[in-house]
C-alpha cells in the first residue's frame, strides 16, 4: 500500500540534493549562546549569590545580570546599556573575562543587617 508521491525515488533524490545545497555555518562559526554561557561563568565566579538568567540561540542571546542590566550578544559583540554613563557599551564577545570586569563595578545591593539601618549616634528628641 504505497503511494507514488510518497515512495518516489526521484523525489527522494531531489530532496537530498536540495538539502546538500542548504548552507550551514561552519563548525568554528560564532555562537552567541556559547559566548553568553562563557560570560555567565565569569560572572558566576565573581558573585555566586546573584540571580542571573540567560536565554538565546546561536544568533542572538541575552543574560540578565541584575535589575536593569541586560547583556545582549550579537554579531560577535556583547552589548549593554551603561547605567551610570547613560550610553551603549559594546565589547568583543571573544573576551568574556573583560566584559565581566566591566560589568562588576556596577553598584551592588547592600545586604541588610539587623540593627544596622540607623546611625549609631541617634537620640530620642
Amino acid at each position: 500500500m504505497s503511494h507514488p508521491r510518497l515512495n518516489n525515488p526521484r523525489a527522494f533524490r531531489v530532496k537530498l540534493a536540495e538539502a546538500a545545497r542548504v548552507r550551514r555555518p561552519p563548525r568554528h562559526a560564532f555562537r552567541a549562546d556559547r559566548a553568553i554561557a562563557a560570560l555567565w561563568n565569569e560572572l558566576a565566579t565573581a558573585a555566586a549569590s546573584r540571580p542571573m538568567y540567560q536565554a538565546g540561540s546561536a544568533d542572538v542571546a541575552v543574560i540578565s545580570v541584575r535589575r536593569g542590566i541586560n547583556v545582549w550578544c550579537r554579531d560577535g559583540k556583547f552589548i549593554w546599556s551603561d547605567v551610570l554613563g547613560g550610553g551603549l557599551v559594546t565589547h568583543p564577545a571573544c573576551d568574556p573575562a573583560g566584559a565581566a570586569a566591566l560589568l562588576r563595578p556596577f553598584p551592588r545591593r547592600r545586604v541588610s543587617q539587623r540593627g544596622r539601618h540607623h546611625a549609631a549616634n541617634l537620640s530620642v528628641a
Side-chain angles (χ1 to χ4, degrees):
M1 187 147 200
S2 67
H3 194 274
R5 275 193 244 156
L6 294 177
N7 297 328
N8 186 351
R10 272 193 212 148
F12 176 74
R13 283 193 300 261
V14 168
K15 287 180 185 176
L16 192 63
E18 184 180 333
R21 282 193 308 263
V22 173
R23 302 194 95 201
R24 292 181 182 84
R27 290 183 186 180
H28 60 277
F30 173 75
R31 299 219 18 182
D33 52 353
R34 290 183 184 165
I36 284 289
L39 180 62
W40 172 290
N41 290 337
E42 289 291 331
L43 290 172
T45 58
S49 62
R50 181 178 348 155
M52 295 184 295
Y53 307 98
Q54 71 177 11
S57 65
D59 298 329
V60 178
V62 65
I63 183 173
S64 176
V65 178
R66 62 178 59 140
R67 179 184 282 177
I69 301 175
N70 297 321
V71 180
W72 291 85
C73 184
R74 186 179 70 198
D75 298 331
K77 295 182 282 190
F78 291 123
I79 305 164
W80 69 89
S81 178
D82 184 11
V83 176
L84 301 175
L88 202 63
V89 178
T90 60
H91 191 78
C94 61
D95 183 24
L102 290 173
L103 286 167
R104 283 190 201 120
F106 288 120
R108 289 187 174 172
R109 251 190 283 165
R110 294 184 71 179
V111 177
S112 62
Q113 296 175 347
R114 189 173 205 103
R116 300 278 305 171
H117 58 278
H118 293 291
N121 57 1
L122 288 179
S123 61
V124 177

